Amino acid sequence: MNNTEDVQRKKQQARSTAFLARAEMNPALCEKAGKRLVAHAHQAGLLTSSPTVSAFISMGTEISTLPLLAALLEAQRKILVPRLGKGREVLWSTLPDLDSIQDMGAKRPKEPSNQALSPESLHAAGVVFVPALAVDHDGNRLGRGAAWYDEALAFRSEHALTVAICWPWEFSETAVPTQPHDVHMDAVLTPEAFTLLAS
């Protein structure tokens, strides 16, 4: 087994462990965690530090980001959310309000009903919220395995603050396995705290 295969195996094991730990999370717990998330985001100044913010519409056992999106809308921020194009296409949309969010079917995140924007649109965001299954204290992030966000983040501004959102136990003391394409996080936001990571 070569090094790449070994890292991929370790990543898949870590994903399996993360999903197993999340199995007990129900919509009510995800919503409650989402509200606590907003309190820490507000305290850290993340809701108003940039006129344009990139976030994501949560799905499954992720912490609900609906409270965060509502708070950003209330703060009159421009919100960019992912759009899944054809294949591995990286696209975005502006989120005008929560009512515009549409169900896209099983295993796909919900999306706004408006037009898609180019990958380069992300460059306008001063804060970029990213979903994570695990993040270590060096900023290494474990995603779902498609590398969609790693490719999308290539278009972010060099001045953007990239913030991983995860459950408290997923902010790990143990090193997260990484590959060269993995993008480091600048900070971690959980329902318990906001942590700025050393650069």
Side-chain angles (χ1 to χ4, degrees), residues 59-126:
M59 59 183 293
T61 54
E62 292 176 339
I63 297 165
S64 176
T65 57
L66 293 181
L68 176 63
L69 295 172
L72 289 167
L73 287 168
E74 186 176 351
Q76 298 184 323
R77 304 298 99 175
K78 179 180 180 181
I79 308 171
L80 299 174
V81 295
R83 288 289 289 263
L84 296 184
K86 297 179 180 178
R88 299 178 60 82
E89 197 173 22
V90 177
L91 300 172
W92 300 91
S93 275
T94 301
L95 181 68
D97 51 57
L98 297 184
D99 291 336
S100 68
I101 296 174
Q102 294 185 338
D103 194 337
M104 303 304 293
K107 297 184 179 181
R108 284 179 63 97
K110 295 178 180 180
E111 298 178 355
S113 55
N114 55 8
Q115 69 178 18
L117 303 174
S118 71
E120 292 81 7
S121 302
L122 182 63
H123 195 269

Side-chain angles (χ1 to χ4, degrees), residues 3 24 29 48 70 76 82 164 167 180 183:
N3 185 61
E24 296 182 6
L29 290 173
T48 55
Q76 298 184 323
W167 291 97
V183 175

Side-chain angles (χ1 to χ4, degrees), residues 12-26:
Q12 194 53 49
Q13 288 176 341
R15 289 187 188 101
S16 296
T17 299
F19 284 124
L20 185 62
R22 287 184 174 194
E24 296 182 6
M25 298 298 102
N26 59 46

